[in-house]
Amino acid sequence: LCHCCGAGGLAILSKGELVASDYLKARDVRGSWFPASRHVVQTPLGQVQTLNVHLRPQISNSGSVIRGYFSTPSVRRKEIDAYFDRLDDSLPTIVAGDFNENKDGKAVHFLRKRGLRSALPEFEPDADTWRWKTSIGTVHSQLDHITYDARLDPIQATVLKEGRSDHWPIIATFVQAE
């Protein structure tokens, strides 16, 4: 558990023993707001590495959502690149969290090019993971992702529409890839 920066706290809940935990900052990424955490978990499949991210929201430094929509995608791309470089290639890997972008975003695309796939679209492709009430109605999107590498296969992924956060949790179950 790590408290940081208002909405930037990080936590992990694991049934398996945490073999290693690292708190990561996006080194040299101008505009990055939040840290990430890397964990190695002992599972029935052996050790699995997780990267828990909270990438830059679509808000400009002045607080504009419109400007932020256009100015922050490159920040998220640089953040995921900085975090990804610190992963151990020898371990099965899950990258999960609040990406603050949909399945077509730059950070998700970066991971896809490196062989990771997003689990939720395989089971609930139209599921929203985030909602925000505005004066003209509630906006919804799929901004949270659980991505995994080829050494793992998801057998289930779903959104739990529970809790008071603007983000709903995603739960996924993985088996070892054949």
Side-chain angles (χ1 to χ4, degrees):
L1 181 61
C2 177
H3 296 286
C4 171
C5 332
L10 298 168
I12 183 171
L13 177 64
S14 174
K15 288 183 179 181
E17 175 189 355
L18 294 179
V19 176
S21 292
D22 299 309
Y23 178 75
L24 308 173
K25 292 185 179 181
R27 299 178 191 147
D28 303 321
V29 177
R30 184 180 174 145
S32 179
W33 284 7
F34 306 120
S37 61
R38 176 188 170 272
H39 305 277
V40 177
V41 181
Q42 187 64 46
T43 76
L45 307 177
Q47 291 186 351
V48 174
Q49 169 180 236
T50 66
L51 177 64
N52 179 6
V53 300
H54 185 182
L55 303 180
R56 171 70 184 259
Q58 299 175 10
I59 300 171
S60 73
N61 288 337
S62 64
S64 169
V65 175
I66 302 298
R67 272 190 248 151
Y69 178 82
F70 294 103
S71 65
T72 60
S74 62
V75 175
R76 286 188 292 281
R77 165 58 179 78
K78 290 174 186 171
E79 285 175 311
I80 200 69
D81 187 12
Y83 297 139
F84 195 81
D85 279 349
R86 292 152 82 191
L87 296 175
D88 182 344
D89 292 340
S90 70
L91 294 173
T93 300
I94 295 171
V95 179
D98 179 357
F99 282 59
N100 275 306
E101 64 181 25
N102 67 25
K103 63 181 172 45
D104 299 316
K106 289 186 177 198
V108 175
H109 179 73
F110 172 89
L111 294 173
R112 193 176 311 119
K113 283 185 74 173
R114 280 141 189 87
L116 280 78
R117 296 175 52 183
S118 186
L120 189 57
E122 296 180 35
F123 297 89
E124 296 183 15
D126 299 322
D128 294 320
T129 64
W130 169 84
R131 79 271 188 213
W132 191 260
K133 290 183 182 182
T134 71
S135 59
I136 58 171
T138 302
V139 291
H140 303 264
S141 192
Q142 190 177 105
L143 302 181
D144 305 271
H145 305 278
I146 298 177
T147 65
Y148 62 95
D149 73 15
R151 293 169 280 192
L152 301 168
D153 276 330
I155 58 171
Q156 173 267 1
T158 190
V159 177
L160 297 179
K161 294 190 175 183
E162 297 180 13
R164 297 186 329 199
S165 172
D166 56 325
H167 293 265
W168 287 311
I170 304 171
I171 294 184
T173 304
F174 293 89
V175 295
Q176 190 167 15
E178 306 248 341

